[in-house]
């Protein structure tokens, strides 16, 4: 990410309409990943955050290396979008549970732990093959209470991770719709370090399934499992 | 403990395995006193249910005594005698809350696998393949029952195992099949299959007000039971074509409702049966829908075809033109057992139904492989096997 020292009026206008554009994509009813197209989730979330967070002050433009990497398909990022509907839980309740990121490993099998460092910052440890781990710090870059939480990994992280979760009332009596969109990419510049290698087989599936487990935990109070049961083998 | 394990087609074995353990807060461990072999188990036995793994413990019709309870199960006590519905249901999701228990959202840990096939995952089932959750079943000495605070129902004293065991599946299944027919005064209901499900469907159709019931099978002792015990008129489909016979027996109108209590392994006659058998054996077609086809053609205009027999995959040559142009209604699904427990228990207690009449064999659990053989091959006039662990 490049630091924008000062914005010309033209740039100002672009970033404003960008904010609106990503804002409506992220809060709307359509497929977010389809809407993003080639665009990184991180870029869209940063644009949505609208530079209001001083420490980022970033434009939504990509660096040249990043553009080249993407154009040649070397980035191989993992992108997941999944929506579930949870009955008898309000957006407030679900938001509150999720807002404490330390709860995430309860239903996200690929995460070993998350430690909350301060109101915005948390330390994530994910399981990688052969007993290894991948770690990074993430920061909440924008949120709307009871509705949206968006986060990205900090710039020097081992992995480039961003995501958001959105809680929205379904039609009356139908509960709350929860959408999660997440992206994992190799850190910019490290070509060939595919995220798939870090997370093992079918990471999209693995991460996608975690939202179904979130629903189980919230609705049924426990996560269905057959672990440790007997069998004649 | 001892448990009946699937090791491949026609290969059920009684293995010694670990005892089940409490895993989740809403679990119970049940010591099984009676457990039955179901027509659905035959689909596994015959190798038609995908995602089975050698060593899987089977069985979904079972009852017994509570021996251990998870910390969140408050409505049961150790020592309670309970029957357990075959679908595993959380009690809290959209579907459970609407009494659509076999469609529970939260019981199948392998739901993503099913979603690829069906779009959405129905409830997990005990002992019925990894597609349906991979839960160890109840043809065993002990079983772990998830969501035990909403599934198991206590059995009143004075009723024997044989009287209440079939509340776990086939009695509600026969009942729901009949209920799905929306029976009106004067209605004639045709039922394909005089296995246990078919027998209960006949009785239920009468309980729900059917004027006449016509039952179809080819096994003499099953036809006899349908006629003498349940009061149905019967058709032996090896002797006469059921389509023609039904039309003649219903004044040319056709039955008002048709129940398929046979499912995906229907026995086919003639060229059509041969076609399905060949296609199924090379897996181009997963199910043999002879009965479903016949039911569509036989059914009167504007009538209902109710499927209790299980289908799993893809069906060939379904006469949709007939179904569409006759304005038929199709109803189907795994039974919402939980919904029927109370009302059917009441009927048993009131003496309106005594489900034990279908039992032909009581066997020790160790004899399960023999039980599967005689039930599948209709040896020893077998209609229903109850295993005693
Ligand atoms: N919907 C549910 O939840 C549910 C629950 C239990 C069982 N089932 C299904 O119901 C079906 C019946 O179960 P069951 O325990 O009675 O099994 P079963 O195998 O004892 O009975 C099937 C009967 O159908 C007869 N049959 C075969 N081909 C026929 C044909 N072409 N025409 C007429 N009859 C024919 C057989 O002779 C047999 O008597 C099975 O498919 C089973 O999987 C569904
Ligand atoms: Zn059954
Ligand atoms: Zn449920």
């Amino acid at each position: 990410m490049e630091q924008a020292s000062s914005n010309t009026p033209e740039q100002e206008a672009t970033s404003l309409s960008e904010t609106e554009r990503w804002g409506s994509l992220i809060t709307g009813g359509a497929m977010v990943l389809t809407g993003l197209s080639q665009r990184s989730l991180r870029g869209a979330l940063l644009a949505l955050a609208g530079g209001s967070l001083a420490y980022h002050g970033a434009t939504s433009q990509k660096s040249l290396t990043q553009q080249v990497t993407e154009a040649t398909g070397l980035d191989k990022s993992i992108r997941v979008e999944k929506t579930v509907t949870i009955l008898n839980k309000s957006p407030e309740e679900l938001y509150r549970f999720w807002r404490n990121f330390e709860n995430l490993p309860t239903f996200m099998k690929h995460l070993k732990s998350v430690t909350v460092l301060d109101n915005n910052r948390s330390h994530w440890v994910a399981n990688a093959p052969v007993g290894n781990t991948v770690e990074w710090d993430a920061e909440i870059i924008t949120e709307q209470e009871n509705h949206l939480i968006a986060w990205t990994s900090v710039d020097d992280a081992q992995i480039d991770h961003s995501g958001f979760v959105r809680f929205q009332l379904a039609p009356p009596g139908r509960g709350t719709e929860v959408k999660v969109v997440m992206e994992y990419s190799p850190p910019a510049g490290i070509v060939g370090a595919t995220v798939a290698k870090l997370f093992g087989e079918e990471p999209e599936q693995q991460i996608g399934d975690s939202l179904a487990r979130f629903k189980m935990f919230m609705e049924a109070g426990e996560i269905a499992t057959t672990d440790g049961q007997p069998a004649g083998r | 403990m001892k448990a009946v394990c699937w090791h491949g087609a026609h290969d059920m074995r009684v293995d010694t395995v670990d005892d089940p353990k409490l895993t989740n807060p809403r679990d119970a461990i049940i010591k099984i006193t009676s457990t039955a072999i179901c027509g659905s188990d035959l689909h596994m036995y015959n190798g038609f249910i995908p995602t089975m793994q050698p060593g899987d413990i089977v069985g979904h019709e079972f009852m017994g005594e509570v021996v251990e309870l998870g910390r969140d199960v408050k409505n049961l006590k150790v020592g309670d005698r309970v029957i357990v519905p075959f679908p595993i249901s959380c009690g809290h999701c959209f579907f459970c809350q609407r009494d659509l228990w076999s469609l529970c959202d939260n019981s199948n840990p392998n739901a993503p696998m099913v979603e690829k096939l069906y779009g959405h995952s129905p409830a997990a089932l005990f002992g019925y393949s990894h597609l349906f959750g991979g839960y160890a079943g109840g043809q065993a000495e002990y079983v772990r029952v998830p969501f035990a605070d909403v599934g198991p129902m206590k059995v009143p004293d004075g009723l024997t195992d044989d009287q209440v065991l079939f509340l776990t599946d086939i009695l509600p299944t026969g009942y729901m099949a009949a209920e799905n027919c929306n029976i009106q005064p004067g209605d004639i209901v045709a039922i394909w299959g005089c296995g246990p499900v078919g027998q209960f469907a006949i009785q239920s159709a009468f309980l729900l007000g059917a004027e006449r019931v016509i039952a179809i099978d080819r096994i003499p002792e099953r036809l006899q039971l349908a006629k003498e015990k349940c009061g149905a008129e019967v058709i032996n489909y090896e002797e006469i074509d059921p389509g023609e016979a039904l039309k003649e027996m219903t004044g040319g109108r056709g039955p008002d409702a048709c129940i398929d209590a046979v499912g995906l392994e229907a026995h086919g006659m003639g060229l059509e049966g041969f076609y399905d058998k060949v296609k199924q054996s090379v897996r181009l077609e997963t199910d043999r829908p002879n009965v479903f086809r016949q039911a569509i053609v036989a059914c009167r205009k504007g009538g209902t075809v109710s499927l209790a027999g299980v289908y799993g995959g893809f069906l060939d040559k379904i006469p949709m033109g007939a179904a569409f142009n006759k304005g038929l209604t199709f109803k189907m699904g795994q039974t919402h057992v939980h919904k029927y427990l109370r009302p059917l228990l009441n009927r048993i207690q009131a003496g309106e139904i005594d489900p034990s009449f279908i039992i032909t064999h009581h066997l020790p659990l160790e004899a399960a492989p023999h039980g599967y053989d005689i039930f599948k091959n209709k040896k020893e006039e077998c209609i229903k096997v109850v295993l005693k662990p």
Side-chain angles (χ1 to χ4, degrees):
Chain A
M1 292 297 153
E2 291 155 61
Q3 290 295 122
S5 44
S6 68
N7 284 342
T8 64
E10 204 184 344
Q11 279 172 322
E12 202 84 272
T14 328
S15 74
L16 251 181
S17 69
E18 288 267 280
T19 308
E20 264 168 42
R21 184 174 153 209
W22 300 125
S24 63
L25 178 64
I26 280 160
T27 57
M31 281 281 293
V32 172
L33 289 180
T34 313
L36 276 178
S37 179
Q38 294 303 304
R39 195 59 183 263
S40 78
L41 177 64
R42 185 191 192 91
L45 292 175
L46 289 171
L48 176 68
S52 60
L53 298 169
Y55 66 89
H56 270 297
T59 69
S60 52
Q61 280 167 15
K62 295 172 187 177
S63 69
L64 185 62
T65 22
Q66 209 176 342
Q67 283 177 39
V68 171
T69 316
E70 285 190 13
T72 48
L74 283 172
D75 64 327
K76 286 278 184 293
S77 52
I78 292 168
R79 301 175 122 194
V80 185
E81 172 167 8
K82 182 110 180 163
T83 311
V84 295
T85 301
I86 298 181
L87 199 67
N88 293 331
K89 285 271 185 289
S90 64
E92 291 78 1
E93 288 168 279
L94 299 173
Y95 168 89
R96 235 174 287 130
F97 183 85
W98 196 294
R99 181 63 175 76
N100 179 1
F101 281 178
E102 297 193 355
N103 285 329
L104 300 190
T106 317
F107 56 91
M108 290 191 175
K109 275 192 185 158
H110 73 292
L111 293 180
K112 198 169 166 187
S113 68
V114 178
T115 313
V116 169
L117 303 173
D118 63 33
N119 191 43
N120 284 326
R121 202 165 171 125
S122 47
H123 181 69
W124 300 44
V125 182
N127 298 307
V130 287
N132 289 325
T133 55
V134 194
E135 309 191 16
W136 66 92
D137 278 5
E139 213 147 25
I140 293 177
I141 52 165
T142 183
E143 70 178 316
Q144 291 162 30
E145 203 178 354
N146 303 331
H147 180 53
L148 180 85
I149 312 169
W151 63 90
T152 68
S153 53
V154 299
D155 288 347
D156 58 350
Q158 255 189 308
I159 193 162
D160 188 338
H161 168 59
S162 7
F164 75 85
V165 57
R166 186 186 86 191
F167 309 94
Q168 212 155 267
L169 271 180
R174 301 300 167 93
T176 301
E177 291 171 10
V178 183
K179 182 189 281 291
V180 172
V181 180
M182 296 209 292
E183 184 179 76
Y184 284 95
S185 320
I190 307 186
V191 173
T194 63
V195 187
K197 266 190 210 147
L198 294 177
F199 282 132
E201 310 223 317
E202 299 199 331
E204 278 101 345
Q205 178 79 51
Q206 217 193 96
I207 298 167
D209 294 355
S210 57
L211 197 57
R213 283 193 293 273
F214 176 60
K215 174 180 157 76
M216 285 175 177
F217 195 64
M218 290 293 116
E219 282 188 343
E222 60 185 42
I223 295 168
T225 179
T226 57
D227 285 356
Q229 71 174 7
R233 55 178 167 262
Chain B
M1 66 163 184
K2 296 246 181 300
V4 181
C5 299
W6 183 93
H7 283 274
H10 307 125
D11 185 6
M12 294 289 187
R13 298 180 205 163
V14 181
D15 290 333
T16 302
V17 302
D18 292 339
D19 287 353
K21 295 187 298 283
L22 291 175
T23 310
N24 269 338
R26 299 175 61 193
D27 286 355
I29 305 292
I30 310 286
K31 181 181 192 307
I32 293 162
T33 54
S34 293
T35 173
I37 305 177
C38 176
S40 300
D41 294 329
L42 292 182
H43 305 318
M44 281 187 300
Y45 185 64
N46 293 334
F48 286 107
I49 303 294
T51 74
M52 290 296 295
Q53 289 172 16
D56 284 348
I57 301 173
V58 297
H60 59 267
E61 299 181 357
F62 56 87
M63 63 178 294
E65 189 188 307
V66 175
V67 290
E68 256 184 286
L69 288 170
R71 64 166 191 273
D72 286 354
V73 187
K74 307 281 187 227
N75 59 322
L76 296 175
K77 293 189 309 296
V78 169
D80 280 348
R81 190 167 155 247
V82 294
I83 56 127
V84 181
F86 80 88
I88 302 174
S89 317
C90 80
H92 298 303
C93 70
F94 176 86
F95 300 96
C96 289
Q97 296 266 298
R98 276 164 183 71
D99 257 351
L100 301 168
W101 299 82
S102 73
L103 305 179
C104 176
D105 262 345
N106 293 320
S107 58
N108 190 349
N110 302 329
M113 183 159 54
V114 194
E115 281 167 15
K116 292 201 178 99
L117 201 62
Y118 294 164
H120 301 91
S121 172
L125 311 174
F126 284 103
Y128 212 68
S129 85
H130 291 265
L131 203 56
F132 291 100
Y135 286 91
Q139 286 169 15
E141 289 180 287
Y142 296 91
V143 67
R144 167 188 162 234
V145 175
F147 307 126
D149 54 334
V150 298
M153 180 180 69
K154 274 192 250 182
V155 179
D157 293 338
L159 292 172
T160 63
D161 277 20
D162 288 354
Q163 283 176 296
V164 291
L165 176 60
F166 303 132
L167 284 168
T168 57
D169 177 352
I170 49 174
L171 178 60
T173 296
Y175 191 86
M176 184 167 115
E179 197 180 65
N180 277 342
C181 294
N182 186 25
I183 295 170
Q184 303 298 312
D187 273 3
I188 305 175
V189 180
I191 299 177
W192 278 255
C194 296
V197 170
Q199 303 288 342
F200 289 141
I202 300 170
Q203 289 199 331
S204 303
F206 279 125
L207 280 173
L208 292 168
E211 181 76 26
R212 292 165 57 201
V213 176
I214 304 170
I216 303 146
D217 206 306
R218 72 184 170 98
I219 310 294
E221 62 273 13
R222 296 183 178 216
L223 288 170
Q224 191 185 344
L225 194 67
K227 190 169 165 182
E228 286 168 12
K229 177 74 193 177
C230 304
E233 298 157 57
V234 296
I235 295 174
N236 183 333
Y237 68 83
E238 274 185 331
E239 288 166 7
I240 29 172
D241 172 58
E244 265 171 49
L246 284 170
K247 205 162 181 179
E248 285 314 304
M249 292 165 81
T250 56
R253 302 186 300 279
D256 301 280
C258 294
I259 294 175
D260 171 353
V262 180
L264 66 93
E265 288 186 71
H267 173 223
M269 300 283 283
L271 202 57
E272 184 205 353
F274 179 73
Y275 167 87
D276 286 316
K277 193 133 199 171
V278 170
K279 284 201 88 176
Q280 194 176 43
S281 63
V282 296
R283 294 291 190 272
L284 286 172
E285 179 184 44
T286 56
D287 302 8
R288 285 198 308 255
N290 311 61
V291 165
F292 185 28
R293 288 183 195 130
Q294 281 183 6
I296 290 171
V297 176
C299 196
R300 81 144 159 79
K301 291 181 281 181
T304 299
V305 176
S306 161
L307 308 179
V310 161
Y311 291 93
F314 298 91
L315 277 62
D316 230 2
K317 298 213 172 358
I318 296 303
M320 274 313 285
F324 179 87
N325 291 296
K326 296 206 293 180
L328 300 185
T329 299
F330 291 172
K331 300 276 262 180
M332 64 194 84
Q334 299 281 357
T335 306
H336 307 301
V337 176
H338 302 60
K339 171 183 173 187
Y340 297 98
L341 290 179
R342 269 300 141 205
L344 289 176
L345 178 70
N346 291 344
R347 285 189 188 265
I348 292 171
Q349 280 188 298
E352 289 172 47
I353 316 173
D354 181 0
S356 62
F357 77 92
I358 59 164
I359 303 172
T360 50
H361 292 74
H362 287 100
L363 297 174
L365 188 71
E366 286 73 14
H370 173 66
Y372 274 88
D373 176 47
I374 58 172
F375 181 47
K376 188 227 148 139
N377 296 305
K378 280 96 182 166
K379 292 181 192 164
E380 302 177 19
E381 305 204 341
C382 177
I383 296 179
K384 189 76 178 177
V385 179
V386 175
L387 302 169
K388 293 286 194 181

